[in-house]
Each structure stands twice: as structure tokens, then as C-alpha cells.
Amino acid sequence: MNSQRRGNLKVGAPTRIYDPLFSTPAMTEVLSAETFVRNMLLFERALSAALEERKVIPNGTAQAIAALSVDDFDLAVLAAAARSAGNLCIPFVKMLTAEVARSNSEAAGYVHWGATSQDVIDTATMLQVRAAITLLEEDMEATCDALASLIRIHQNTVMSGRTWLQQGPPVTLGLKLATLLDALDRHRDRLQHLMQHAIVLQLGGAVGTLAALGRNGPAVAENLGRLLNLPVPAIPWHTQRDRIGEIAATLGILVGTLGKFGRDTSLLMQTEVGEFMEPSAPGRGGSSTMPHKRNPIFSAVILAASTRVPGLVGTLLSAMVQEHERGLGGWHAEWETLIDILRLTGGALAATREIVCGAEIYPAAMQCDMALLGGVTMAEALSFRLAQKVGKGEAHRIAESASRRAVREGINMRDALLQEPAVAQYFAAEDFNAMLNPDNYLGASNEFIERVLANHSARSVEVHHATR
Amino acid sequence: MNSQRRGNLKVGAPTRIYDPLFSTPAMTEVLSAETFVRNMLLFERALSAALEERKVIPNGTAQAIAALSVDDFDLAVLAAAARSAGNLCIPFVKMLTAEVARSNSEAAGYVHWGATSQDVIDTATMLQVRAAITLLEEDMEATCDALASLIRIHQNTVMSGRTWLQQGPPVTLGLKLATLLDALDRHRDRLQHLMQHAIVLQLGGAVGTLAALGRNGPAVAENLGRLLNLPVPAIPWHTQRDRIGEIAATLGILVGTLGKFGRDTSLLMQTEVGEFMEPSAPGRGGSSTMPHKRNPIFSAVILAASTRVPGLVGTLLSAMVQEHERGLGGWHAEWETLIDILRLTGGALAATREIVCGAEIYPAAMQCDMALLGGVTMAEALSFRLAQKVGKGEAHRIAESASRRAVREGINMRDALLQEPAVAQYFAAEDFNAMLNPDNYLGASNEFIERVLANHSARSVEVHHATR
Amino acid sequence: MNSQRRGNLKVGAPTRIYDPLFSTPAMTEVLSAETFVRNMLLFERALSAALEERKVIPNGTAQAIAALSVDDFDLAVLAAAARSAGNLCIPFVKMLTAEVARSNSEAAGYVHWGATSQDVIDTATMLQVRAAITLLEEDMEATCDALASLIRIHQNTVMSGRTWLQQGPPVTLGLKLATLLDALDRHRDRLQHLMQHAIVLQLGGAVGTLAALGRNGPAVAENLGRLLNLPVPAIPWHTQRDRIGEIAATLGILVGTLGKFGRDTSLLMQTEVGEFMEPSAPGRGGSSTMPHKRNPIFSAVILAASTRVPGLVGTLLSAMVQEHERGLGGWHAEWETLIDILRLTGGALAATREIVCGAEIYPAAMQCDMALLGGVTMAEALSFRLAQKVGKGEAHRIAESASRRAVREGINMRDALLQEPAVAQYFAAEDFNAMLNPDNYLGASNEFIERVLANHSARSVEVHHATR
Amino acid sequence: MNSQRRGNLKVGAPTRIYDPLFSTPAMTEVLSAETFVRNMLLFERALSAALEERKVIPNGTAQAIAALSVDDFDLAVLAAAARSAGNLCIPFVKMLTAEVARSNSEAAGYVHWGATSQDVIDTATMLQVRAAITLLEEDMEATCDALASLIRIHQNTVMSGRTWLQQGPPVTLGLKLATLLDALDRHRDRLQHLMQHAIVLQLGGAVGTLAALGRNGPAVAENLGRLLNLPVPAIPWHTQRDRIGEIAATLGILVGTLGKFGRDTSLLMQTEVGEFMEPSAPGRGGSSTMPHKRNPIFSAVILAASTRVPGLVGTLLSAMVQEHERGLGGWHAEWETLIDILRLTGGALAATREIVCGAEIYPAAMQCDMALLGGVTMAEALSFRLAQKVGKGEAHRIAESASRRAVREGINMRDALLQEPAVAQYFAAEDFNAMLNPDNYLGASNEFIERVLANHSARSVEVHHATR
């Protein structure tokens, strides 16, 4: 870094103080102001090259730009100039032109030829989004694969199902995690879809006609797209922001799924539950006043993201209402908001990966918690078993009565059942052992798990083939 | 309607007082409480049929349910009972059981066998969403087809491009509308994708294991899915709400696109602009105090939706954080919010269709507005033409200088240019006529339009084939 | 109700199917379409009376309007006509004029004289808001008073403090509830402030000049304000919506506070915790598949509101951007959104009141849960006591070491401490009993409680005086 | 700045690249990471001083802390450590303790005595909020005073009123701006209210009991509050976040008002309108491709803020649902969100001030635009005048008929009226001149303006007295 060129070094720094907490180093880098300026530079270089290929401008400009790097731009000056210009591109192009002029004054006259600020900013943003999603995809793959292993290991680890935060019939940890894997693999499809459909070139000129390029517009766009490896859309989209909205929303939905996992993890980590814990590490999650604490730091990071991202997605949807051929305010509202969504998604996903890859699992605590109600949570199981003898209504009545007796008298369900007159005639005490065993009341859990794992494997094979 | 059974008739009415303004009659019907109850009834009937097919329960229940209709349920009582139950399904199942018992007391014992409230509510919601999106798709198709015709007609209708609400170089109305058609056809792909991927059966029982059905769970789900024509997902998704989030977000993005069109329409309808008007009709858009007014009613409906839907989408993303096997509050937050999103989307789309199908277009006003600045908006065109002789920098300087002179002295651009010394040596006065003619500065507009129309046609053919 | 006039009775019904669950009957009534129309009628009657008092129009119109009631208006027709008019007031005034004409054709000519639709709708809304907040204030008072009693009773009921969902040092239930009472009394101040400052008359005519009333405008507004008991603002506020924003935001903050209580209640009700429970009642919170369940229904209602209201508040803030003298879309976006905020706030507050007034409290469970970690949560207390002998750093080290040993070896804190060499020289085993007793580590809890209760009492006295 | 201690200088930089565009230098400084760390340092120093005053700890710590400055903390290390700790305070206290230990190892043992991380972070945030609101209040005062002058100057500058973006009866620029001044002075009351009620000390220790301070807690808090000049609340408020919600919401409402002004300004700046312009300056608002453009940069900044802030406010309301004695995720979601709200509010207000202080006003354009419809917008005025002769209904009919004729035949209103038979018998052609003169149809505009200015003056006097 050429720190001389950075002025006071306060502007344009790539990280904010909360970046390490709420995001990842790689994501922070990709979303930094430096990367953004670098992307604008890539655009201008490729634009010049495309124009030169099509003989719209003389050779030389692309080469002159290629000699420059982000360090040739004083981000503090750039930032300050944006106040008068209304965006970063206008002062950037001025600075770029001046830099090119230092080596080739004629070439300087052809910098940014035919393009408008929004072409540069939107395309630079798209390059940033693509790099960010690539990072997300890597974390998604690692998370999903680790999850698949964990599911296989805990396919038969029985724990209490919980509805409305109340214990219900049993599930397995494998099943619980399989619903997550199932959702995450859907999210991978969504991210892949974004990569294929939502990330495109922007090149339209002042009002989306490419008029400044005369008849050459589409051909130049074609070359530019090839050079930047970005698909060229049918028509410029300066004020049609559905792709931006789709990127934001897709990440928003992903963060919602992660938030659910963060919430569950933190609930399972409660002192009174202690069934499934974030990985511990020296110093992590300690409390300044409570030395014994083990705070769910990763869950907090995920939950902070899932609290923040919905409002940010809403903002980008609101911002879609952009006027005529170039919006006023709406476009400006996108810039930092989209960065924040990507940044927080990256952090939440990394935290999820940490949990999944290092989770500490306590089957004994699961057993213990399940025993808390003395089998009352098996009421449904009993109800269905009893129903085969006494009909659904009567079975439900008995299960309910026994449950209440068990809760009221603090006895276990087996004993409570034995006190029900209607039961005694059909069942012996020992019959209840099997009936009250959670392992016997897991329904199709394994079948569901197998389907999810099979889908996951098929997906992996397919991706593997596709990327070979 | 059996009004005797509806109590005071105030509860569960299918419409709200603003429904006709903000939605459509068909959408209102589809989203009504009656339809929801009807869908719950469909679920229970199909569940019983599926259970009977699999011999899980004796024959009879499905037939008994089939004899009932929504009119057999007192919606006021249902609504009131939801307060104690926490959802509509619990009292519905009680009422249903009682109704079935009147005709077949044994069958009543098998109503809702093995299912949980959320199975019923989620599936009934999915049926509602499917019907609502079907309505949207119809309106989308009609809107897009009308738009395609309008684009063809106005392919060469030149008007001012506008950036930052300031006039810029010219566009055509065809181009302006083509960006909308392009976006709307993408939205149609998104809706189609929702229909194929996001709308699925929910059947998991109490905690997503289908334990109450023993080994029969998956087979019953298969049959149920077939009967309701809903795909069966790999695993129940009680607290994995990404599909709900995707439905909401997809509609939210669509409404953003519509909002952009509503804003543009209202701007073009301004007294000072008057280029593109909503269809007029006797009594529509009148003002109680301003008899001459022609208010952009449809734009207001669209803009109201685009102001409201982003927050509602944010809510559904927030609501995704649902605990363990059944959420507390998050699930409840979905119900009315999803309905409102569908309802407002329907209204905004119908208003868009009205505008597109009946727009009044004033090319003379477009010409007149373009003339306001005496050709200053052609500065870019000139700049690029001049650049061919004097280089980009000098050309830009001349164009800027002449523009300022034209604005300052209130003269037109042609005369201002003639006063620029550098210009006189290269151009004669008559050269400027062609240069300043907006028709000559439309760049690739027609090529872009053709691509969009070609995509639209290909899409229509494909859909046509698919639905044959 | 004159059902003949209501058409098919489906439109404008005062309740939605979820009203009983998510709101209250009184709030539903206040927010109904009937009440809104009634308020519009009140406005028009009072306007005519004010105009007559000032001799702007001849006597007769007010009297003719006074003879009408909401039942004279077919809400279905009104709703349908709103589609063409863009709001409810235009067709309402037409219908009103026709009704008045039936009894007094001359008077009909003076209906709505000098006012604009927005005057009527905004003022009718303000009357609705005032009535709704009055209901909230009643529930707030009852809730706060009940809370004060509960705090007094449980001032010394010790329970585990919990941070990051992990047990920490002890608090009392009284303290926990006192933070809620403190916040709720602040909210009462905020509601009172709204009542005094945000709820005002709207009367500005077409563009806020009252030009149609010539010189009489302000005097008429004064009389109208008196008749409706609404303060007259300095200037009409058609597109200055900060009061609406303030109403929405104030309720949004209140719902946030309630949401926190709902979350805590549901967490304390968890099967594994069971310390503080929503009141039980026959049939409430039952599950269709889990007969033993006791679902936190009230918490779910509160949490649903706290999930939904933030987005709705955001919508109203977005909607503040209204154009010139009358907004397009922004104003329309307010109508249902504000109603929903009031409606959900009413429901969440009523649910809170139910919990506070009927909470079941289990001190034994609190003791039991506190014992789970064998005193490890008293580490901080020990740390500070030890520090008096060995300095803060060393004390912290010992407490941390003992905590870890206790957790690792599954022994209690007392025994773990005795194994710390540094401890033995300063303390005897019996010294730890007092140190590890949570009752001895409550700090200023009681002082804080007393302050909150004193503020609450002072507030009550003041309100009592103010309302005498 | 001690750059050696800043590591790679990338972390914790006080500005982001968009700060100059979307905020102000003063606000950026106040909201910087440096200021935050400085505030944490102030807290710890004052805490030690308060503890020393009360003899809870020995003298020395406060003095040792006083010798340190923010430059002694490596923000990059701090930021990185936050990832393990979950917040900035834990590593900050560690670093602070180490720094103090370098000068006074005993004193190091008493750093942060009895406090918890949240005490430090919440209080440091409150100091930041106070400084930020102080900046806002200064800008508000200057803006309002400039507005008052502008209103006085343009009290009689007649322009078209506009409703639904359609021209209506006339207003004055003074009236239009008076509604803004009226709203802004209300916002000043709200900000003042925040300063008095919402900005308070946080000191509660681990779970809000201050147990670590034994009996001394409240006295220490009293002293600490005095030292930091912050009111001490009745009870700690770790998870009662209504004050944070109120701060956010109050700013959100303010931004809504500013957004309305930004929208209006940009609409009035349209090429086709040109009545009221942002101040021009060399280079400001230029376009890279459209040299003649004068983009509404300030309006864009304001509108970007009004698009973003509502979602951020919603986030803070969502984040209020914080668990038990310390929240998980909700608290974390506040940090950057609150900063962003303050930052964007500061930028939007500064932009508003720029517009108000430098607006270019074109009364001739206002006259010209008003003439566009040939007097049709005076239809209401005519209607009321005619009504005095022919009754309201007939007058309305005539005005409507003449308006339509004028629009249809492209003639002016005066001529259209003369063709109405009913009119000829009551009025002569010359009567219409006065009737159609907008200056004669301004109603109570001046009275409203005078009231607003009087309130503004009274407010200024009061503030002046209060601050003497």
C-alpha cells in the first residue's frame, strides 16, 4: 500500500471496527472500498479495451489504465469529492483521466468513453457481489458437508422435540439438523441461481441507449462482458433494480434460516438445557463479571445479523422505486445497504460453520431433559397406541387425564397410566415400557434423514461434475 | 351462504373496506377467511382419504367430511375460539369433529388423524398462495402482452430521457417500456419458479416425525400430496420457513418493479409534463374540491403497495427465526402478513395492467418538453460528434460552454454553438440540425427493444407449449 | 344495524378472522370501518355546525346530518366506489349529500363546504387514534398497578439472573418486573404526550390555505376543533406527517417492551425452567396432538406483534415522504398500516395484562434452577469477597479456577473452593455458606425496586389529581 | 495520532468512504470508533473516581487511567479481539488493565470494578448520542432560522399548489415552507425531550443489581452520573431498551420530514418545473455524460437517508426484544444500526440546511407554470364564488363544465366561463379577472404563516433564556 497517496489514511479503510465480529476477513476484503475502486478500474480498463477492439477509440487507453493500481488513487480525496459529485465514479474518472494523462495525454481523452457513472458503479458492484457470493458458496459447501456428517453420526441421538418452547414427543438430533441441511441446500440452489441470472454487466450510457457509441454499443457491450466475464443483459437496467432486489432478498432468506439455527443453538445452550453447545475455546465467550460463563458468541453474531438484515432487505426493496432513466436517492440508498447485507451474511454464515464444525453434543443431557416430565411428553404416542384399542376420543381423554395426574401428583406417566381404570383392562404395566420409550416413537425420522442426505449427495456429485 | 351459521356475520368477512381500492375482487376472494377454511376442509378430507387408502384408518371419515362445506362453520365462533387455542386449526378441528360426529360418530374419532395444526394451516396457506399466484400470472401475462404491443407502437416515439429528474438525452417510449417488459418477464420466471419449488405440502405431525402414523407416514404424505396436487418435500418444514420467505420476497421484488412504473407514470402525468396518462374514466380520479383534476389513482395504488410491501417482506424475514420444532410468535406473525403481501401485489399489478392497457400517450407533449431547453439536452450528442474533430476533452468543454451560454442567455443550443469559436471552423450552421435532432441520437434503442420483444415472444411460445 | 343498507354484508365488517386472537373486542370496535365512517359523519356534522355558527353557510345542514347514522351508509358501495375515487371520503360525501338532500335539498348544497377529503380522513383517523389510545391507557394503568402489586409480593423472591441465556448471579422476580414497570410507566408518559401533542384537527381545504372559506377559515377551524374536542394546529399538515410518524413510533417502542416481556415469559415457561407461567385456563393453550402441553399463547400473541409492528412502523416512516400539498401513495399507505399498529398493540398489551394479572409463580423451581450449577453462578460474588483479601486479579483467577473445577468435576462450588490452596488460608468451609447464599448477593435490588414503585405511586397520584 | 499503536491502520478508521457524501465531518468524528473508545475510557476513569470518592477502592486507579488516551489502544487488536469476546468492552478492559498496570500494578486490580461490559458500552453510546444530537440541534436551529427568513421574504410569492402531483389552487412559497418550519420546530422539541429524558447513565453490574458494590451501588452511580453529567435512572435498564428505541424513532421521524422536503425540492427542480433550485456551485451536481445537468445532489442525499432510515428504525424496534438480564443478538444489532441512523440523519439535515440557506428561487417560473392550464386550477375559487349566486351544486357543475371545456378546447378559463350560459347572467367578463387571480385566493395563508413564525420566535426566545 502506497500510504503516501492515502492522505490521512482515515478514509476508505477496508474495515470497520465491528468487521471482525460481524463479518469475516475475506468478506471484509472483498467488500472494502479498495476492492470497489479496483473494480471500477477493472471496468474502465476493460471498457477501453473493448472500445479499442471495436476501433471506436484509438489504441492506448487500456494499456495506460492497466499500468495503474488502486494505490494510485487517494481514497480520502475521492471520498471528499463524492460530496459534490453525488457518487464515487465522477471524481474517480477525473482522477483516472489525470493519471492516464501523466503517461499518455491523448489516451486520457478516451477514458470512460461512452459510459455513464452508473455503468461503472453498477458493474463494479456486480463484481463485488460475485466475489462475495463465491465466498458464501465456499462456506455453504463446507457447512453443509459438515452438517451431513453430523447428521449421520447423530441419526439416532434422541432428544426432546420442542414446540412453543415446550417439550413434545421425541426427535433425533439428526432429524433436527436434517431440516437445516435441507434448507441450506435449497439456499445453495438459490445462490447458484443468482450467480447465473442476477449478476450481469451494466452498460447503457447516459439514458440507457448507448447513443454515444452510435451503432457500436451492443458490440462494445459484448466485448466488455467477455472481458469481465459478465453476461450481457438484453437491455440496460439502470432503473430496473429487480436483480439487486433479488440478490438482497436471497441473502435475507438465507440469514433467516441461519437465525433459526442461532436461536436454537442458544436455547440448547441454556444452563437449564445444555444439550448442544457452541465450540469452546480459551477466552471465547468469557464474561468480564461472570468467570464461569460460556456465552453463545456465535449465536449472538448470527442473531444480530438476523435482526438487522430484514430491515436492510426492506430498504433495498423500497429503493427499487427509481425514477425514469436514473433514480434520485433510491440508487444511492443501495450502496452501503447491499454491502452491509453481504457483510452480515458472511459473518452469520461463518459463525454457523464454526458451530456446525465444532459443536459439543451432550446426549446425556438430552436424556436427562427428556426424563423431566416423567414420560408425559409421550402422551401422544400413548394416545395413538391406546386409540387402537379404545378409539381416538377415549384414548385422547385417557392420555390427557394421565398426563394431568402425572403433572399434578409429580409421578411418572407409567404410574399415572396404571391408575387410569380404562387402561388396566387393556394393558399390563410392562406394556408401557416400550410405549414410553422415545426410541420407539420416531416415526419416519430416518426416512426423512435419508432423503435429505441423498439429495445432498446428489447435489454434491452434480456440482462436482459441473465444476470439473 | 348459510347466514344462520355465521353468527353476527361480522367475523371472517372476505373483504376489508379497502379491498376494492388496494386489491382485486378475485384476489380478495382467494385470500378470504372462507377460502382459508375451505382449504383446511380440503386438507382434512384429503388426509382422511389418504389414510383410508393406506388402511391407517377405517373408511368413512373422508366421505363424512366431503359432505360438509365452509358454510357449516361459524366463522365468528371459530375466530373467537382461536384466542384460547392460539390458532384457527384447533377450534376448526373441534368443530369439524363435531360435525362429522353428527353423521358418523365412529368416523369422528379419526378426523385429523396423525396431523398437527401446523400441517393444516401451512398446507391451507400453500393452497391459497398457489391460487393467488395463478391470478398474478394471468395478470402478468396480459400486462406483458399489452406492453409488448405498446412498445411496438411506440418504438420510435421519441421523448426526453430523464436522470435525477433532469432532462437528458432522448429515449423512446418504446425503450422506456421495454425495460419494464424485460423486468416483468424476469418476474414471470420468478413466479413460475415459486410455483415449481416453493409451494409444497406440509405434513409432519407434532414434531416433524410423523410418529403418530408409525411406518405409514411417508406413504400417507405421498397420497395426500397427490390428492391436493402438491409436491411432497423431502422432510417436513415446520420451522424451516425459507419457502415462505421466498414467496414473500419474490412478490416484494415484483412490487418494487411496479412501484417504479407507478412513480414514472405519476411523474409523466404531472401538469407540467403531461406525456403519458393513466386511462381516464368518468368519475375516476376526481377531486372533491378540484373539479378539473385528474388524479393518478392507479399510480397511487401501486405506490401505496410499494411503500407497504417492503416492510411486510422484512417482517416475514424476521419471522423466519422460529424455535425448535414449532415457533412461538414467528409463525403467528406470518399469517396476516403473507395475506397482505399477496393482496397488495394483486392490487398493484391490476392497477399496472389498467395503466398499460389504457394509457393515453401524448407525443406532442413529449416533443414540446424536449424543446424546453432549446437543445441543451443534446449536449452529449454534440460532445461525441465534436470529439471526432477536436478530441474528447475539448469537445466536452465546448458542449459545456455552449450549454451554459444557452441556459444563461435563454437562446437555443444551435445559436449558442455558433458563438463558440472552436466550433465555427469545423461546422456550418446547417450541420447542427442533424446533430441536434433527437431522432438521430437513439443509439441501440431499437436493438435493445428487439431483444426484449424477442425474449418475450420466445417466452410466450415456450409457456404455450408447456401448458398445451 | 340496518342490514338492508349493508349490501352483501361482506364489506366493511368490523372484524377480521384473526381479530380475537391478535387484538381485543374494544380495540376492534374502535378501529372498525363502521367507527371510521361514524367519525367522518361526526366531522361533517361538526364542520357544518361550525360553518353555521360563523354564518358561512345557512342553518340546516348540521341538523340534517345529525339525523343520519352510519347505518344509512352502505359500506359495500362505499368500498367499491373508493376504487374510482382513490379514497373513502369522496364517495362518502356523495352519499352523504344524497342523504341530506332527501330531507333538505338546500342543505345538501352546503355539505362538506370548504373542506377537502384529506381533512375528513385525517380528522376521522385522529378521532380513531384517540379512542384507541384511551383504551391502551386503561390497559396500561391496570397492567402497571397489577405489576406494582406483584413486585411488592415478590420483592424478595430470589431467582437466577440470566445473561446471554446463561445463568448468572441472582436477581429477584421483583427486580425483574420492576424494570418492566419502570419502562411501562415511561410508555404511559409517552402515550400521554401523544394525547396532548400529536392528536389534532386537520382542516386546510384543497391545498392547506382554507381559501374556500375566505377570511373565515381560522375561525371555522377554531369552532370545529371545539366541537370535536381536538386542538387546532398552527397550520394545516396535509403532507407534514410527523404526528402520524410519532404515533406509530411511540406504539412501536411500546410493543418492543412488551415483546421483551413475552420473550422472557415464554423462556421462563420452558419445560426445563418452569419458573413463571402464563395463567392457565381450561382449553387455553392446548395442543391438538400433545394433550399435556400448556402453550404460552399470550406470549405468542405478544411476540407476533413485536415481530410485525417494527416493519409497520418503518412503513409509516417511509410513507412520510409525501409530495407537495397532497401525497401520492404515501398517504394511502398510512390507512391500513396505522390501524394494524393500533390493533396489534392493543392485543399485545391485553395479553401482557393477562399474564401480569394471572401469572403463576414457582419459587421452588427458581431455587431448583439456581442450584443446577452448584453455586458456580455465585462466582462473581465470591470473586468480590475474595478480592478483599487477595486483590481483584487473584480473586478472579481463583473464582474462575474453582468454577471450572466445579463444572468439570461435577462438584459444587463450596467443595471446589476448598480445593483451591489460596483460599484455605483465608476462609473456613463455613464462611462459604453465607458467601454462596444468593439472598446475600442482591446488591441494590430493593433500593431500585423502591424507586420504581415510588415513581409509580407518584405518577398515579398525579394522574389521579389531573383527572379529578 | 500515534500511528505506531494502530497496527495496520485499517481498523477503526473514523470514516467510511461514503461518510463525506452521506454525513458530515463533525458527525463522522463524533460517531467514530476513536470517539467510542474515548468514551469507554471516560467511563472507566469516572467509574474509578466515583469508587474512590466512596472509598470502595483505594485511590490511584482514576489517576492512572487519566494518563491514558485513545492513542494508547490499538484499534485493530481491539477489533480482532471482539470476535472472541462478543463485544468491544471485554478486550478494551483487558488492554486498559494492562496499560494501567504499566504505571501502577495495584491500581490495575481495580479497573472496571463492579461494572459489566454493557455498563460501559451503553454509557459510551449515550455519550456519543448526546454529542451527535447536540450537532443536530445546532443544524436544526440554523436551518429553522434561515427558513424563517425565507418564509418572511416569500410570504407573498405565489405558486401552484400541487396535489397528487397535479396542479391545484395556489399557495405561497412562504406557506409551503411554513409547514416545514412548523414540523421542524416540533422536531426540535422532540430532540430536546430526548436530551432530557432518554440519555441516561447505565450502571447495573452483571445482572442489574450492582451486587458487586454491596451497599454502595446507588451512591457510586450517583457520583458517576455527576462526573459524566448524565442523569441516573431509577433502575438499570440493560434489557429495557425503550430509550434506544425512542432515540432511533425520533430521528426516524425527523428524517421522514426531511425526506418530504428533499422530494419536493427535487420535483421543483425538474427541467419542466424549475421553480426552486438547490444552490449551485462549481462542479456540484455535474454529470459525467451530460455537461448541462444540474443534479439535485442534496435532495439525493436526503432521499437516500429517508429510504434507509425507516428500515434501520424498524431494526432497532425488533432488537428491543432482549432476553432476561442481558440480550443475545438484539443488543449486538443495535451498535452499528444506531450509528448509521445518527450518521444519515446528520447528513440529511446538513443537506437540508444547504438547500434552505442557498436555495435559488424563480418566481417567474412559478407564474409561468401556474399559467399552463389557463386558469383551470382556479376552478375551486370560481366554484365558491359562483356558489354565492347559484348554490354549491350548480356552481360545482359550472366550474367542472368550464374546466373541461377549457382543457378540451385549449382555451383559458375566462373564455370557457363566458361560454357557460348560467354564468353570463350573473357575471361580466371583467369580474373574472379578480376571480381568476391567484393572489386573491390564498385564504388564511398569511395567518398560518404568522402563527408558525410566532411559535418559532417564542421558541427561540425560550431557548435563549434557557441557555443563558
Side-chain angles (χ1 to χ4, degrees), chain D residues 182-231:
Chain D
D182 188 52
L184 288 181
D185 272 333
R186 276 196 296 282
H187 285 297
R188 292 172 75 192
D189 291 340
R190 289 183 188 113
L191 291 178
Q192 198 176 21
H193 191 266
L194 277 190
M195 289 294 255
Q196 289 164 359
H197 292 89
I199 295 171
V200 298
L201 182 74
Q202 177 72 284
L203 189 71
V207 292
T209 61
L210 281 180
L213 301 181
R215 286 258 147 233
N216 295 301
V220 169
E222 211 55 48
N223 285 19
L224 179 56
R226 183 176 42 71
L227 290 168
L228 294 173
N229 193 24
L230 283 173

Side-chain angles (χ1 to χ4, degrees), chain B residues 328-350:
Chain B
L328 182 74
W331 183 46
H332 303 75
E334 289 177 4
W335 304 333
E336 292 191 323
T337 307
L338 188 57
I339 294 293
D340 264 345
I341 291 173
L342 289 162
R343 175 177 174 261
L344 294 170
T345 306
L349 179 55

Side-chain angles (χ1 to χ4, degrees), chain C residues 149-356:
Chain C
S149 304
L150 204 59
I151 290 166
R152 186 59 81 198
I153 294 168
H154 291 286
Q155 187 154 3
N156 298 307
T157 303
V158 181
M159 67 190 294
S160 183
R162 289 173 175 97
T163 65
W164 296 74
L165 292 183
Q166 302 283 302
Q167 285 190 10
V171 295
T172 62
L173 178 58
L175 183 81
K176 202 175 176 90
L177 297 175
T179 68
L180 175 63
L181 176 57
D182 188 51
L184 288 181
D185 273 334
R186 274 196 298 282
H187 284 297
R188 292 171 76 192
D189 291 342
R190 289 183 188 112
L191 291 178
Q192 199 175 21
H193 190 267
L194 276 190
M195 290 293 255
Q196 287 164 1
H197 293 89
I199 296 171
V200 297
L201 182 73
Q202 178 72 285
L203 188 71
V207 291
T209 61
L210 281 180
L213 300 181
R215 289 256 146 235
N216 295 301
V220 169
E222 212 53 51
N223 283 21
L224 178 57
R226 183 176 42 72
L227 290 169
L228 295 173
N229 193 22
L230 283 172
V232 179
I235 191 167
W237 48 280
H238 291 150
T239 46
Q240 293 294 351
R241 311 304 285 178
D242 56 298
R243 292 179 181 94
I244 299 293
E246 190 175 10
I247 292 166
T250 301
L251 298 173
I253 307 166
L254 169 56
V255 169
T257 295
L258 302 179
K260 185 255 185 300
F261 180 63
R263 174 87 76 213
D264 282 1
T265 299
S266 65
L267 290 170
L268 292 172
M269 279 183 76
Q270 285 173 104
T271 308
E272 298 84 359
V273 181
E275 301 183 3
F276 179 96
M277 311 286 275
E278 292 189 5
S280 62
R284 181 190 297 145
S287 159
S288 62
T289 51
M290 289 167 276
H292 68 282
K293 286 281 298 283
R294 215 172 106 196
N295 291 330
I297 300 288
F298 292 127
S299 299
V301 166
I302 298 169
L303 288 167
S306 69
T307 304
R308 292 177 61 186
V309 170
L312 296 172
V313 172
T315 296
L316 284 190
L317 296 181
S318 291
M320 286 182 67
V321 181
Q322 298 189 8
E323 295 83 4
H324 294 314
E325 281 61 63
R326 198 78 56 80
L328 183 76
W331 183 45
H332 305 75
E334 290 178 3
W335 304 333
E336 292 191 321
T337 308
L338 186 58
I339 293 293
D340 264 345
I341 292 174
L342 289 161
R343 175 174 173 264
L344 295 170
T345 306
L349 179 55
T352 299
R353 181 177 173 176
E354 294 263 17
I355 298 175
V356 168

Side-chain angles (χ1 to χ4, degrees), chain B residues 160 162-169 263 266-267 269-273 275 277 283 287-297 300 318 369 372-373 376-380 383-384 396 399-400 403-404 407, chain D residues 160 162-169 263 266-267 269-273 275 277 283 287-297 300 318 369 372-373 376-380 383-384 396 399-400 403-404 407:
Chain B
S160 183
R162 289 173 176 96
T163 67
W164 296 73
L165 293 184
Q166 303 281 302
Q167 287 189 8
R263 173 88 76 215
S266 64
L267 290 170
M269 278 183 79
Q270 287 175 105
T271 307
E272 298 85 0
V273 181
E275 301 181 3
M277 314 284 277
S287 160
S288 63
T289 53
M290 288 168 279
H292 68 282
K293 289 280 299 283
R294 217 172 106 194
N295 291 330
I297 301 287
S318 292
D369 287 337
L372 277 178
L373 290 179
V376 170
T377 53
M378 294 303 290
E380 187 195 68
S383 181
F384 276 94
H396 189 90
E400 210 166 353
S403 299
R404 284 202 189 122
V407 170
Chain D
S160 184
R162 289 174 176 95
T163 65
W164 296 72
L165 292 183
Q166 302 283 302
Q167 286 191 8
R263 174 86 77 215
S266 64
L267 289 171
M269 278 182 78
Q270 286 174 104
T271 306
E272 298 84 359
V273 180
E275 302 182 3
M277 313 284 277
S287 159
S288 62
T289 51
M290 289 167 275
H292 68 284
K293 288 279 300 282
R294 216 171 105 197
N295 290 331
I297 300 287
S318 291
D369 287 336
L372 280 176
L373 291 179
V376 170
T377 54
M378 294 303 290
E380 186 195 70
S383 180
F384 276 94
H396 189 91
E400 211 167 350
S403 300
R404 284 198 190 127
V407 170

Side-chain angles (χ1 to χ4, degrees), chain B residues 25-36:
Chain B
M27 190 61 88
T28 298
E29 178 62 29
V30 155
L31 301 176
S32 71
E34 269 83 0
T35 300
F36 188 73

Side-chain angles (χ1 to χ4, degrees), chain A residues 269 382 419:
Chain A
M269 278 183 78
L382 284 160
Q419 292 178 34

